[in-house]
Amino acid sequence: IGAGIFALTRFRKPIVPQEALIGVVYAVAAAAAILVLSRAAEGGEELKALLVGHLLFVEWSEITKMFGLYSLIGLIHWVARKPLLAISQDPERAFARGLHVRWWDFVFYATFGFVVTSSVEMAGVLLVFSFLIVPAVCGVLLAKTISRRLVVGWVAGTLTSVAGVTASYVWDLPTGATVVCAFGVSLVGCALTRTLKSLNKK
């Protein structure tokens, strides 16, 4: 339903950016979840699980399920990479070329929804969105082509995850929250690296 709403509200020349609408929906949905959990007997524990998940207690059955789901979605995105990239980079031109923008939006948002909802129970809202956003931003900061941005994103995500889990173990901190903070440090590091590279070129 959410994927359908996001796809239908995509306009050729939007007054409000699509990302802003998604952000509002996310904030309202999170607030609604908090309201519901506030009435539950174990609402505090459920809210904590929603935010940071249970990374240290993941079972192999969950890992196998995630591997299968992510592989399928990765295959869908690979097959549909050309229209998805065209819409992402220049939506107005994609409309002009006659691409079915709303249909491809629906495909993206639906698969995106499967990734998010299947991951939140395991990793928590904060960590899932950190994984979705921070490596991609690091890629944009440090590389120009799509392929190089993917490599930077994968490397940043892997190294940050290892660093966050290690810090959590060494200092006996909550794993999910520690990894999220590590992503924050990683993002600052990438931004500083880009700034230094720009200064060196001058």
Side-chain angles (χ1 to χ4, degrees):
I1 292 171
I5 291 171
F6 291 144
L8 290 173
T9 53
R10 159 85 83 164
F11 297 105
R12 190 163 183 169
K13 294 183 178 179
I15 298 172
V16 178
Q18 187 79 354
E19 292 79 7
L21 176 63
I22 294 170
V24 170
V25 171
Y26 167 71
V28 172
I34 292 171
L35 290 177
V36 171
L37 291 174
S38 70
R39 296 294 183 180
E42 298 178 356
E45 289 299 317
E46 290 292 336
L47 181 58
K48 183 180 177 182
L50 176 68
L51 292 174
V52 297
H54 60 278
L55 277 181
L56 298 183
F57 303 99
V58 175
E59 298 180 357
W60 280 107
S61 59
E62 292 179 277
I63 294 172
T64 303
K65 183 178 74 173
M66 292 298 102
F67 177 78
L69 178 63
Y70 292 173
S71 297
L72 176 61
I73 291 174
L75 178 62
I76 292 170
H77 282 208
W78 173 257
V79 171
R81 66 189 183 280
K82 289 184 179 179
L84 290 178
L85 280 172
I87 292 166
S88 174
Q89 293 174 334
D90 194 344
E92 192 167 340
R93 187 180 176 190
F95 271 112
R97 286 172 51 194
L99 282 176
H100 299 290
V101 174
R102 290 187 180 88
W103 159 250
W104 289 115
D105 269 352
F106 177 78
V107 170
F108 174 77
Y109 289 128
T111 53
F112 177 79
F114 276 112
V115 169
V116 172
T117 55
S118 62
S119 306
V120 163
E121 183 181 357
M122 182 170 60
V125 171
L126 299 177
L127 187 53
V128 168
F129 276 87
S130 294
F131 269 113
L132 287 171
I133 296 167
V134 175
V137 174
C138 289
V140 170
L141 288 173
L142 300 181
K144 292 183 178 179
T145 65
I146 295 295
S147 57
R148 289 182 179 178
R149 287 175 178 178
L150 281 172
V151 171
V152 170
W154 290 334
V155 171
T158 301
L159 294 179
T160 303
S161 300
V162 171
V165 172
T166 302
S168 169
Y169 174 77
V170 171
W171 291 306
D172 192 24
L173 298 169
T175 308
T178 306
V179 177
V180 171
C181 290
F183 270 116
V185 173
S186 176
L187 183 58
V188 171
C190 289
L192 289 174
T193 302
R194 178 185 172 89
T195 302
L196 291 174
K197 285 173 66 177
S198 300
L199 291 174
N200 288 335
K201 287 181 180 179
K202 293 178 181 179

